[in-house]
């Protein structure tokens, strides 16, 4: 208990603070809770007129600081008074609140409307425009970027910009937008940056000071709701740390270590064998707790609601089915009634036949029992319902992929991690400490839970000490992903001129980090140089110059590799030529790979784009396309058989009959294998000469030759690495400006900029195209690639520029014959020209168009049913997920919208684009467009 004197002193301090910071005192009175120290510190900095960077854990309450910026702006804009002023002659001040995703924008808009009223708050996203001239506008970051480039009148009176989740600037695809906004905002605007905990906050703040002026850094590591870490080993739950002191030291709970070691030992000795088949000779397989058992355990211990992270969409859906099959029911009859009411009110706009395709009844069954999945493959409408029900406490257990951790506010009492490995699109990789912190940060609801809980499910590959390291490490460095684009280049040149544009790029966070890293790289070059001198002394030989001798050895190895590559290239060229000559009915032998054996050609591989990829049927009844990579030797026609005129390779019976005909040729499927690869007609003369020089060199006779060679190789490797470092030093100094210059040179050569760095009419069209393939879109418009297409054909043709398959396909997707195929081929030809131009200038090449979404969007725009549309996705095991379809369709609509609004597009094409948008925005898309 404090004394009366201490209470009086505290009251005096509060009164003094209220006098110093009247706006904050006014703001705090309406909050209903006391501000944390970091919130108060950041708000005071804002009221003093300083910009602020706030770094704090998920759920700590960073957004309060952003809301205070809104409060400061609205002090000059009384409700209901048009053109209000903050005192005589002071104009109305505005605040823009930016977020990375539309869902967050929608949520923040509703929060601010509830607090300040609909007349003072607006919303601008790709889908919605509500009250855009209000003093407070919530928007996605891209909308603000586009406003800045267009010089929008809406920017008048802008005083504050809140950048929520500013750590998104590390995002590989969209991160550059954040830097563009920060650099281009007028100097009069105060910037409020809200970020997750990052380990280089000071570095980021140093950059903000250079581009935005005074910026105060407020970092808080404190979680308002304490987080307890656990491990579930079989049926036993253990604390990861004994106490807070052990957590700071990364000391794993001794009992957990002992139990996991004993379990591993029993597994190695053949005990702990679980029932059922599948053990074989490899010993027992560990089978961890079943998902329904985990949920039941959490329910028993009062740890629901929980988010169980499973890094697989299929795994999330399977987890719900497993819980339903186990008879789990986590809801009361009253809760079930309310869940059904909410669900039915949200899906009224979706046609009944589509609901059946989307698995509506199984989804509703799970929801009524308090169980749901949440992943990007789900229909957005379904995901929104899951989020609402979970926040309200009606859904108790959500099985989610990691995308939920980046999304809207969905805190839980407990978070479960089934594995510590996830697929990043290319390979299975370990979770980083930053990702672990972000996922477990969901645990613990402020104002509801006394503490949050994170549970990692143990398996033999999971070392508790590794988990302790993840849980205790706060290494999440912010790395810039900024790079100049074609659209950015024409906008910058058009708005400020070429030279000022270069200076702006040099002020980016990317260049700031690159310049700082040069210092460390230069030090490493110096250390390497000293080490190389020591290696050279060890490699010295009394017979002669060992460096000269070793250089001959390196030259021989390089020549041998070059000859091997040359042979490989010749073999591939021969294989390509042989595949181009194949005709329907030719029987060939696939020499290697999974499809090795005899095959008959069903469709020649020519006529498409790129390498020949004939469609074949193998002796084993597999039908598909083969590539030159499947042939180590040229394809040889061994026989010919008749292929029925309208042969359907998707029919099992037709495949069986034709495969029998292939087998009936009597040819041996493996005959003709060569024992080895020919080395050619004769030895290479240069190689013979190098070997002769090596044998004549004095050092060749040294008894310690191989010992010297080991030191020389170390020196050679280090010299190679050091040269790479030197190139990196040279490349990082002014690297963005050099890239910008190359982009401007390419744009000048293609007619988007003049030789005097003026933007042409074509450049002005490019300046209004916001797409990853911006230049390719502009080229398609200039060449008239999409002229004369119907609405459905246009939607299909532009889809190749936005769609990107989750995994690389083995074969090129088919497209509708006629105008669509012509437009796609023309687009691919243009891409090939652009790619060649980019490669010759040392620029990062534009991504190749992906044809995998052409059929689904074409069928949808023509009005076909959802079931048929989802079944037409390319290279998928089963139907295209509804969430993926909606997401890509929205991106097609976005690009069509840009065409419809573009000044450099023909009236006919603009009209077709509007008709295509109307054709796509129906059914499940109509619901999504309205939210």
């Amino acid at each position: 208990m404090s004394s009366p004197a201490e209470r009086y002193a505290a009251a005096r301090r509060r009164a003094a603070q209220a006098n110093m910071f009247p706006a904050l005192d006014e703001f705090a009175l309406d909050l209903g809770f006391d501000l944390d120290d970091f919130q108060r510190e950041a708000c005071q900095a804002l009221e003093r007129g300083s910009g602020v960077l706030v770094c704090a854990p998920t759920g700590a309450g960073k957004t309060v600081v952003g809301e205070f910026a809104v409060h400061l702006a609205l002090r000059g804009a009384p409700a209901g008074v048009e053109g209000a002023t903050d005192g005589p002659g002071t104009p109305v001040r505005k605040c823009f609140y930016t977020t990375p995703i539309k869902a967050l924008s929608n949520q923040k808009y509703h929060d601010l409307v509830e607090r300040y009223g609909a007349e003072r708050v607006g919303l601008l996203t790709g889908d919605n425009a509500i009250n855009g001239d209000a003093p407070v506008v919530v928007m996605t970051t891209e909308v603000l970027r586009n406003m800045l480039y267009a010089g929008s009148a809406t920017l008048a009176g802008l005083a504050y910009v809140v950048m929520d989740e500013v750590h998104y600037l590390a995002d590989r695809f969209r991160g550059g937008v954040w830097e563009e906004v920060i650099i281009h905002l007028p100097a009069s605007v105060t910037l409020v940056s809200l970020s997750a905990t990052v380990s280089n906050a000071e570095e980021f703040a140093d950059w903000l000071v250079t581009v935005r002026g005074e910026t105060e850094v407020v970092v808080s590591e404190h979680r308002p709701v304490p987080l307890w870490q656990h491990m579930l080993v079989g049926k036993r739950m253990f604390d990861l740390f004994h106490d807070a002191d052990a957590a700071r030291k990364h000391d794993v709970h001794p009992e957990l270590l002992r139990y996991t070691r004993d379990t591993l030992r029993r597994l190695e000795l053949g005990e702990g064998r679980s029932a059922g088949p599948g053990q074989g000779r490899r010993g027992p397989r560990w089978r961890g707790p079943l998902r329904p058992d985990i949920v039941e355990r959490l329910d028993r211990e009062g740890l629901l609601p929980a988010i169980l992270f499973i890094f697989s969409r299929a795994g999330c859906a399977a987890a719900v089915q497993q819980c339903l099959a186990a008879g789990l029911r986590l809801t009361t009859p009253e809760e079930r009634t309310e869940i059904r009411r909410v669900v039915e009110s949200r899906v009224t706009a979706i046609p009944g036949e589509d609901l059946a395709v989307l698995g509506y009844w199984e989804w509703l069954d799970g929801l009524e029992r308090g169980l749901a999945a949440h992943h990007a493959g789900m229909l957005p409408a379904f995901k929104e319902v899951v989020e609402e029900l979970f926040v309200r406490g009606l859904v108790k257990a959500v099985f989610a992929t990691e995308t939920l951790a980046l999304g809207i506010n969905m805190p839980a009492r407990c978070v479960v991690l089934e594995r510590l490995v996830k697929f990043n699109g290319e390979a299975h990789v370990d979770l980083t400490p930053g990702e672990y912190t972000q996922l477990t940060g969901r645990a613990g609801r402020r104002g509801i839970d006394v503490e949050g809980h994170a549970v990692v499910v143990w398996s033999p590959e999971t070392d508790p000490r590794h988990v302790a390291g993840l849980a205790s490490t706060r290494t999440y460095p912010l790395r810039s992903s900024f790079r100049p684009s074609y659209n950015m280049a024409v906008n910058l040149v058009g708005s400020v001129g070429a030279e000022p544009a270069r200076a702006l790029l040099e002020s980016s966070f990317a260049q700031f980090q690159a310049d700082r890293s040069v210092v460390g790289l230069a030090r490493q070059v110096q250390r390497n140089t000293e080490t190389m001198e020591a290696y050279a002394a060890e490699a010295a030989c009394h017979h002669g110059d060992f460096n000269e001798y070793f250089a001959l050895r390196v030259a021989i190895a390089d020549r041998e590799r070059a000859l091997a590559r040359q042979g490989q290239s010749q073999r591939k060229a021969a294989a390509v030529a042989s595949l181009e000559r194949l005709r329907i009915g030719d029987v060939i032998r696939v020499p290697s790979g999974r499809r090795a054996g005899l095959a008959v050609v069903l469709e020649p591989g020519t006529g498409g784009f790129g390498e020949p990829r004939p469609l074949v049927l193998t002796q084993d009844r597999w039908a598909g396309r083969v590539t030159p990579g499947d042939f180590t030797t040229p394809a040889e026609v061994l026989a010919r058989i008749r292929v029925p005129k309208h042969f359907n390779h998707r029919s099992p019976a037709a495949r069986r009959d034709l495969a029998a005909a292939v087998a009936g040729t009597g040819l041996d499927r493996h005959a003709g294998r060569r024992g080895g690869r020919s080395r050619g007609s004769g030895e290479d003369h240069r190689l013979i000469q190098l070997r002769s020089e090596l044998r004549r060199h004095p050092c060749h006779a040294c008894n310690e030759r191989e010992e010297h060679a080991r030191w020389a190789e170390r020196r050679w490797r280090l010299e190679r690495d050091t040269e790479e470092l030197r190139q990196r030093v040279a490349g990082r100094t002014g690297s963005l400006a050099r890239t910008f210059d190359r982009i401007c040179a390419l744009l000048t050569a293609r007619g988007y900029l003049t030789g005097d760095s003026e933007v042409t009419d074509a450049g002005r069209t490019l300046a209004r195209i916001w797409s990853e393939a911006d230049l390719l879109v502009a080229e398609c418009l200039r060449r008239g690639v999409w002229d004369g297409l119907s609405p459905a054909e246009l939607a299909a043709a532009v889809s190749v520029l936005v769609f990107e398959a989750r995994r690389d396909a083995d074969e090129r997707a088919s497209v509708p014959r006629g105008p669509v195929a012509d437009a796609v081929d023309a687009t691919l030809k243009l891409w090939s020209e652009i790619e060649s131009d980019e490669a010759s200038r040392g620029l990062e090449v534009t991504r190749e168009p992906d044809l995998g979404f052409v059929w689904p969007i074409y069928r949808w725009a023509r009005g076909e049913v959802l079931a048929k549309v989802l079944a037409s996705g390319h290279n998928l095991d089963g139907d295209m997920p509804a969430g993926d379809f909606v997401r890509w369709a929205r991106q097609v609509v976005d690009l069509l919208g840009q065409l419809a609004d573009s000044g450099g597009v023909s009236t006919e094409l603009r009209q077709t684009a509007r008709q295509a948008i109307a054709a796509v925005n129906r059914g499940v898309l109509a619901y999504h467009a309205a939210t």
Side-chain angles (χ1 to χ4, degrees):
M1 287 289 288
S2 57
S3 68
E6 288 170 334
R7 287 198 295 275
Y8 175 70
R12 288 285 300 271
R13 280 196 302 275
R14 282 196 298 273
Q17 278 192 348
N19 290 331
M20 286 176 64
F21 303 104
L24 178 57
D25 191 55
E26 185 184 294
F27 174 73
L29 283 173
D30 293 335
L31 282 179
F33 59 85
D34 291 335
L35 289 170
D36 290 341
D37 290 345
F38 87 90
Q39 294 168 328
R40 186 172 295 280
E41 184 185 345
C43 291
Q44 287 174 355
L46 268 182
E47 193 164 356
R48 283 196 301 268
S50 170
V52 66
L53 167 64
V54 183
C55 299
T58 303
K62 297 184 288 289
T63 52
V64 167
V65 183
E67 286 165 9
F68 180 59
V70 172
H71 177 79
L72 285 174
L74 287 177
R75 288 185 94 213
V81 182
E82 194 66 37
T85 60
D86 189 11
T90 307
V92 170
R93 295 185 299 175
K94 290 182 179 179
C95 177
F96 288 172
Y97 198 113
T98 72
T99 72
I101 53 178
K102 292 171 188 173
L104 270 174
S105 292
N106 293 336
Q107 189 179 54
K108 182 52 64 178
Y109 168 72
H110 292 303
D111 291 347
L112 292 175
V113 164
E114 195 174 326
R115 179 162 184 166
Y116 297 110
E119 72 281 1
R120 303 173 96 186
V121 184
L123 174 68
L124 293 174
T125 66
D127 298 333
N128 285 310
I130 303 169
N131 198 17
D133 293 323
V136 177
V137 185
V138 184
M139 61 184 69
T140 50
T141 317
E142 279 86 353
V143 170
L144 178 53
R145 187 269 311 272
N146 299 356
M147 274 186 187
L148 288 166
Y149 279 145
S152 171
T154 312
L155 296 167
L158 183 61
Y160 297 93
V161 166
V162 180
M163 300 198 81
D164 203 354
E165 311 278 0
V166 75
H167 53 271
Y168 257 76
L169 70 76
D171 183 82
R172 190 159 59 100
F173 301 107
R174 299 171 55 214
V177 177
W178 274 253
E179 287 186 54
E180 288 181 78
V181 168
I182 292 169
I183 293 169
H184 290 110
L185 276 174
S188 58
V189 175
T190 301
L191 187 67
V192 182
S193 306
L194 309 178
S195 170
T197 310
V198 294
S199 54
N200 61 335
E202 289 74 17
E203 180 188 37
F204 185 48
D206 288 347
W207 173 67
L208 285 174
V209 169
T210 65
V211 291
R212 303 297 317 162
E214 186 184 354
T215 304
E216 194 157 321
V217 190
V218 179
V219 178
S220 173
E221 290 280 358
H222 175 70
R223 280 180 54 96
V225 180
L227 178 66
W228 293 96
Q229 308 271 354
H230 312 279
M231 283 200 82
L232 184 61
V233 188
K235 295 184 177 180
R236 291 191 59 179
M237 184 94 79
F238 294 89
D239 290 337
L240 186 59
F241 305 113
H242 179 64
D243 53 29
D245 189 47
R248 278 191 295 274
K249 296 177 183 174
H250 300 203
D251 288 342
V252 179
H253 201 298
E255 192 180 347
L256 169 60
L257 277 177
R258 189 165 48 250
Y259 189 81
T260 53
R261 281 178 191 144
D262 289 347
T263 305
L264 278 172
R265 198 175 298 116
R266 285 198 302 273
L267 284 169
E268 287 164 6
L269 293 172
E271 298 174 22
R273 189 183 294 265
S274 53
Q279 307 308 327
R281 289 175 294 173
R282 295 184 182 179
R285 255 183 71 196
W286 168 259
R287 293 200 179 161
L290 298 173
R291 289 159 178 165
D293 295 342
I294 294 174
V295 175
E296 251 181 335
R297 175 72 178 267
L298 297 177
D299 189 26
R300 248 188 350 262
E301 300 199 9
L303 295 180
L304 295 180
I307 300 170
L308 297 93
F309 284 109
I310 299 170
F311 302 122
S312 149
R313 296 177 179 187
C316 292
V320 174
Q321 292 304 315
Q322 289 157 12
C323 291
L324 294 179
L328 271 187
R329 193 182 292 279
L330 306 171
T331 51
T332 64
E334 295 77 20
E335 287 173 330
R336 288 196 285 280
T337 303
E338 176 62 10
I339 288 167
R340 183 173 278 268
R341 186 194 68 76
V342 170
V343 171
E344 289 176 350
S345 69
R346 295 291 184 278
V347 300
T348 49
I350 302 176
E353 66 270 19
D354 289 355
L355 288 176
V357 175
L358 296 167
Y360 169 76
W361 299 107
E362 297 86 347
W363 174 67
L364 178 60
D365 185 24
L367 289 176
E368 288 186 333
R369 297 193 195 197
L371 302 157
H374 187 289
H375 56 75
M378 289 173 63
L379 192 71
F382 284 15
K383 275 201 301 183
E384 289 163 19
V385 169
V386 171
E387 289 159 6
E388 180 184 345
L389 295 176
F390 188 78
V391 169
R392 290 179 56 184
L394 295 170
V395 165
K396 319 290 184 180
V398 169
F399 298 93
T401 56
E402 75 276 13
T403 51
L404 184 143
L406 306 172
I408 66 168
N409 185 27
M410 252 182 85
R413 181 168 296 164
C414 177
V415 163
V416 178
L417 298 181
E418 192 175 77
R419 298 179 68 205
L420 297 177
V421 175
K422 68 167 190 172
F423 185 72
N424 67 359
E426 295 172 359
H428 287 89
V429 294
D430 291 336
L431 284 185
T432 65
E435 288 167 334
Y436 182 89
T437 303
Q438 201 166 31
L439 294 168
T440 56
R442 291 277 175 193
R445 298 163 297 171
R446 190 169 191 174
I448 302 174
D449 299 323
V450 178
E451 57 194 26
H453 298 267
V455 180
V456 175
V457 180
W458 182 85
S459 68
E461 300 80 35
T462 310
D463 186 344
R465 286 164 299 196
H466 173 61
V467 180
L470 288 175
S472 310
T473 307
R474 292 289 177 269
T475 52
Y476 182 61
L478 207 51
R479 293 277 173 259
S480 172
S481 61
F482 181 81
R483 60 181 177 83
S485 67
Y486 298 111
N487 167 281
M488 186 194 302
V490 289
N491 273 301
L492 284 175
V493 171
S495 57
V496 300
E499 278 309 308
R502 290 176 97 256
L504 276 171
L505 290 172
E506 293 286 15
S507 66
S508 68
F509 186 44
Q511 193 61 58
F512 185 83
Q513 286 191 313
D515 291 345
R516 279 197 166 188
S517 68
V518 163
V519 178
L521 291 174
R523 285 201 199 102
Q524 186 62 46
V525 167
Q526 181 59 36
R527 283 195 294 270
N528 286 3
T529 304
E530 293 166 3
T531 306
M532 283 191 294
E533 288 170 2
Y535 287 169
E538 292 289 345
C541 176
H542 64 282
H543 284 274
D545 185 348
F546 200 86
N547 283 339
E548 186 180 80
Y549 176 76
F550 188 75
L552 285 169
R553 290 175 69 148
V554 171
I556 289 169
D558 288 346
R559 186 64 182 167
E560 287 173 340
R561 277 194 294 272
L563 290 171
R565 279 196 301 271
Q566 184 182 332
Q568 190 176 4
S569 174
Q570 289 170 349
R571 282 193 298 275
K572 183 174 181 181
V576 167
S578 68
L579 291 183
E580 286 174 342
R581 289 193 295 269
L582 293 178
R583 295 178 299 158
I584 296 172
D586 284 348
V587 177
I588 60 172
R589 183 177 290 109
V590 182
S592 60
R594 287 184 303 163
R595 310 304 177 191
L598 297 174
V600 61
V601 177
L602 305 178
E603 187 181 294
T606 53
F609 183 83
E611 294 179 339
R613 301 164 70 93
L615 180 67
V616 303
L617 174 72
T618 68
Q619 198 172 346
D620 300 321
R621 304 182 192 174
W622 174 82
R625 295 193 179 273
V626 290
T627 69
D630 295 315
F631 292 83
T632 52
T633 56
E636 184 184 349
V637 179
L638 305 172
R640 281 186 59 76
I641 61 174
R642 182 181 169 280
V643 176
K645 189 169 184 181
H646 299 293
F647 181 77
N648 179 9
H649 68 272
R650 290 190 171 87
S651 162
R655 286 203 307 269
R656 182 192 62 221
D657 294 344
L658 192 58
V662 173
T665 59
L667 295 166
D668 185 349
R669 64 185 297 160
H670 297 306
R673 285 188 172 180
R674 298 184 182 178
R677 289 178 178 169
S678 168
R679 291 172 64 102
S681 57
E683 282 279 14
D684 178 71
H685 294 299
R686 177 62 182 150
L687 193 57
I688 293 169
Q689 184 184 350
L690 285 170
R691 286 172 177 162
S692 175
E693 287 178 32
L694 183 79
R695 285 191 293 270
R696 290 199 307 269
H697 197 282
C699 292
H700 194 65
C702 180
N703 292 332
E704 297 179 338
R705 181 183 68 197
E706 294 310 312
E707 180 64 21
H708 293 325
R710 276 192 285 275
W711 286 107
E713 184 170 9
R714 287 173 192 166
R715 182 185 182 283
W716 176 74
R717 287 182 186 280
L718 190 57
E719 189 169 17
R720 189 180 57 184
D721 294 344
T722 306
E723 185 54 36
E724 283 181 13
L725 288 176
R726 289 194 185 103
Q727 287 174 4
R728 282 164 65 187
V729 169
R732 290 187 183 187
T733 308
S735 55
L736 285 176
R738 277 200 303 278
T739 302
F740 176 73
D741 290 342
R742 290 169 187 162
I743 284 174
C744 287
L746 187 149
L747 291 174
T748 302
R750 287 187 165 267
Y752 292 91
L753 296 174
T754 67
D756 299 328
S757 295
E758 295 290 327
V759 180
T760 64
D761 288 341
R764 279 185 276 280
T765 300
L766 174 58
R768 294 291 163 265
I769 295 169
W770 315 98
S771 164
E772 195 183 338
D774 45 12
L775 181 58
L776 184 50
V777 174
E779 285 288 295
C780 287
L781 289 172
R782 285 177 77 191
R783 308 285 183 93
V785 168
W786 300 321
D787 292 349
L789 296 179
S790 70
E793 288 167 349
L794 180 61
V798 303
S799 75
V800 303
L801 301 176
V802 297
F803 179 71
E804 187 173 4
R806 294 181 72 214
R807 290 180 177 83
D808 290 338
D810 290 337
E811 57 184 84
R812 176 182 158 182
S814 64
V815 298
R817 294 181 186 277
V820 175
D822 293 342
V824 169
D825 280 342
T827 303
L828 288 166
K829 188 169 181 291
L830 282 174
W831 169 78
S832 182
E833 291 174 12
I834 292 171
E835 182 206 30
S836 175
D837 211 348
E838 289 167 329
S840 68
R841 296 174 191 272
L843 289 168
E844 188 173 328
V845 298
T846 300
R847 180 175 61 81
E848 184 178 359
D850 192 321
L851 282 53
F853 196 58
V854 170
W855 268 116
I857 195 69
Y858 179 65
R859 285 182 162 156
W860 181 256
R862 288 178 61 189
E864 297 188 27
V865 295
L866 184 64
K868 191 171 181 181
V869 168
L870 297 181
S872 61
H874 173 65
N875 208 47
L876 294 167
D877 298 327
D879 292 353
M880 172 176 262
D884 286 348
F885 171 72
V886 169
R887 185 171 72 256
W888 292 117
R890 294 305 307 158
Q891 292 203 28
V892 170
V893 165
D894 180 68
L895 183 52
L896 289 169
Q898 293 180 45
L899 301 185
D901 297 337
S902 177
V905 177
S906 69
T907 306
E908 183 191 350
L909 183 58
R910 285 208 300 272
Q911 181 63 30
T912 307
R914 291 190 191 100
Q915 292 170 352
I917 292 169
V920 173
N921 278 334
R922 65 180 182 87
V924 291
L925 266 297
Y927 170 86
H928 190 58
T931 56

